[in-house]
Amino acid sequence: MTELVVRAPGRVNLIGEHTDYNDGFVLPAAIDRELRISYRRTDDRRVVLTRLDEDETLAFDLDAIGPSGGSWIDYPQGVARELAVEGIAMTGLRGTISSTLPISSGLSSSAALEVASAWALSAQHPPPIDPMALAKACQRAENRYVGVRSGLMDQFAVVFGRPDAALLLDCRALLHEGVRLPLERARLVICDSRAPRDLASSAYNTRRSECEDVVRTLQAAGEPVAALRDVDGPMLERHAHHLDPIGIRRARHVVRENERVRAVVEALRKGDLLGVGRLFAASHRSLRDLYEVSSPELDALVTLAEAVPGMFASRMTGAGFGGCTINLVAPEAVDRFAADVHAGYLARTGLDADIQAVSLATGAGMA
Ligand code: GLA
């Protein structure tokens, strides 16, 4: 049988962090670092995958999907379970997974594996399902099977990525539109902190419950809210006395971060890169001090970036607890930016940051 290859890109999030599972707004963009599955179909209903970076082969049976086991095969396996629920015909396969996307760095390697798996498993190409429903099925795999209660942003960006625009998503209405970036004046540069990211998924789930607790408290006080999306600053401050100190910090972040998404979109449309920079800086501070998901390494990368001439905007991107920063840098300043930040970060932390300019990319599909 012929060899088939599916690809799924990673993503950066320009702004709107920890807002997706609060029914808010996000502005991700798919990037040209991607995961690929090369495979041949079989008729034995077995899915056998080898991860080339770890040289590890794991397998499961499409007709006997057991409980999750805590390894990377949970992602394709969880996706197979959700595709079965959607009634999508699947075939067995023998395949290898390769990736130019750093794993567990906050660039959506998990969502890329989920969406690439969905394409590879589906007997039909494209998978016979509405693309938003496909993104949601992959999110459910992560929520229910892997056990991370992530929002929809990553799977959405991996499915809908465009080579010419970032994507503004309203996570409640599930409506989205492209937002062009002034890439002739500012390149997207990623700094991977390469710091260990332990306990990220349990801390992530805790943040999500803390937000839900605030919503329940506001509902008990008579406010007609379904999610933090419905809360504004004055309402939150009116109830500050019966919210616990952690809850109020988390909610203040989410309420203001939603406002910042809209403000960044407006600044990008006007070409106001300095305005974008101020909003990125405010977002980073809020994630550090109110949402408490930054790390000393991410803070160091942002501080070092801010000292480089030609750097417009810098903040942590993704869930946090380690991972990457996203930076908008004038094209002629990229080399100096990479050299200065790399050297300064090595001196401060002893770590070898991976710094790369990236381009936008199209969503998952056949390679
Ligand atoms: C992870 C999750 C997303 C989102 C971000 C934080 O990437 O998968 O759903 O919550 O963290 O913005």
Side-chain angles (χ1 to χ4, degrees):
M1 276 211 214
T2 46
E3 178 153 275
L4 301 169
V5 183
V6 295
R7 53 164 287 282
R11 65 98 190 90
V12 292
N13 185 22
L14 289 161
I15 195 150
E17 222 63 87
H18 293 277
T19 45
D20 60 352
Y21 53 81
N22 290 301
D23 276 4
F25 298 88
V26 291
L27 186 64
I31 56 170
D32 60 349
R33 300 292 184 276
E34 62 182 25
L35 178 143
R36 288 181 175 227
I37 303 178
S38 308
Y39 64 102
R40 287 174 201 280
R41 287 184 166 150
T42 57
D43 46 24
D44 60 358
R45 309 286 292 159
R46 293 278 299 161
V47 176
V48 184
L49 285 166
T50 302
R51 211 176 121 167
L52 291 180
D53 60 344
E54 308 248 303
D55 194 18
E56 182 179 28
T57 299
L58 295 171
F60 65 93
D61 194 314
L62 284 171
D63 297 323
I65 294 179
S68 54
S71 80
W72 56 267
I73 200 74
D74 288 348
Y75 294 91
Q77 205 167 182
V79 167
R81 209 172 68 155
E82 292 302 328
L83 293 188
V85 171
E86 297 285 336
I88 293 179
M90 290 178 275
T91 58
L93 58 87
R94 302 288 178 277
T96 57
I97 303 170
S98 61
S99 181
T100 56
L101 191 59
I103 304 300
S104 279
S105 291
L107 299 178
S108 280
S109 51
S110 307
L113 178 53
E114 289 153 15
V115 177
S117 299
W119 273 76
L121 290 165
S122 172
Q124 222 179 300
H125 287 146
I129 177 173
D130 165 69
M132 193 64 88
L134 177 66
K136 286 170 83 175
C138 290
Q139 180 201 13
R140 283 199 307 275
E142 188 156 337
N143 291 175
R144 295 180 183 168
Y145 198 75
V146 177
V148 181
R149 296 183 61 219
S150 51
L152 185 60
M153 170 170 73
D154 299 355
Q155 294 80 6
F156 160 76
V158 172
V159 169
F160 285 88
R162 279 172 53 169
D164 61 340
L167 305 160
L168 171 64
L169 174 68
D170 175 335
C171 299
R172 173 174 283 165
L174 298 184
L175 295 174
H176 56 99
E177 61 185 292
V179 177
R180 285 180 201 276
L181 306 178
L183 293 172
E184 57 307 328
R185 290 172 50 218
R187 296 216 58 193
L188 288 178
V189 182
I190 288 167
C191 301
D192 183 351
S193 66
R194 284 192 166 154
R197 256 182 118 203
D198 303 335
L199 298 176
S201 53
S202 64
Y204 183 94
N205 288 349
T206 304
R207 294 298 179 285
R208 185 163 179 167
S209 317
E210 288 162 352
C211 292
E212 290 163 352
D213 287 346
V214 172
V215 172
R216 272 192 292 273
T217 306
L218 295 175
Q219 286 169 340
E223 296 289 358
V225 294
L228 284 181
R229 151 73 172 267
D230 305 311
V231 177
D232 62 15
M235 184 199 292
L236 190 59
E237 299 314 321
R238 270 201 310 281
H239 293 283
H241 60 283
H242 50 246
L243 289 168
D244 74 66
I246 291 185
I248 187 102
R249 285 207 294 280
R250 306 296 188 250
R252 279 181 181 142
H253 164 75
V254 173
V255 168
R256 296 297 302 280
E257 185 78 353
N258 275 324
E259 294 166 3
R260 281 189 288 265
V261 176
R262 260 109 24 121
V264 163
V265 169
E266 211 169 294
L268 285 169
R269 288 192 170 137
K270 287 196 301 214
D272 175 12
L273 288 168
L274 295 176
V276 174
R278 284 191 293 275
L279 291 156
F280 271 35
S283 171
H284 187 82
R285 281 196 301 275
S286 178
L287 289 158
R288 183 191 64 198
D289 301 337
L290 299 178
Y291 220 70
E292 298 174 281
V293 293
S294 188
S295 66
E297 292 84 7
L298 292 171
D299 296 343
L301 286 172
V302 168
T303 306
L304 290 161
E306 281 169 345
V308 181
M311 198 297 297
F312 295 110
S314 180
R315 56 180 287 278
M316 55 155 277
T317 189
F321 319 103
C324 293
T325 63
I326 172 75
N327 306 268
L328 292 173
V329 184
E332 64 281 6
V334 168
D335 290 346
R336 163 136 185 228
F337 172 88
D340 283 10
V341 173
H342 187 272
Y345 184 69
L346 186 64
R348 279 194 193 192
T349 63
L351 292 167
D352 178 24
D354 182 20
I355 303 181
Q356 294 188 31
V358 296
S359 300
L360 302 188
T362 190
M366 304 309 289

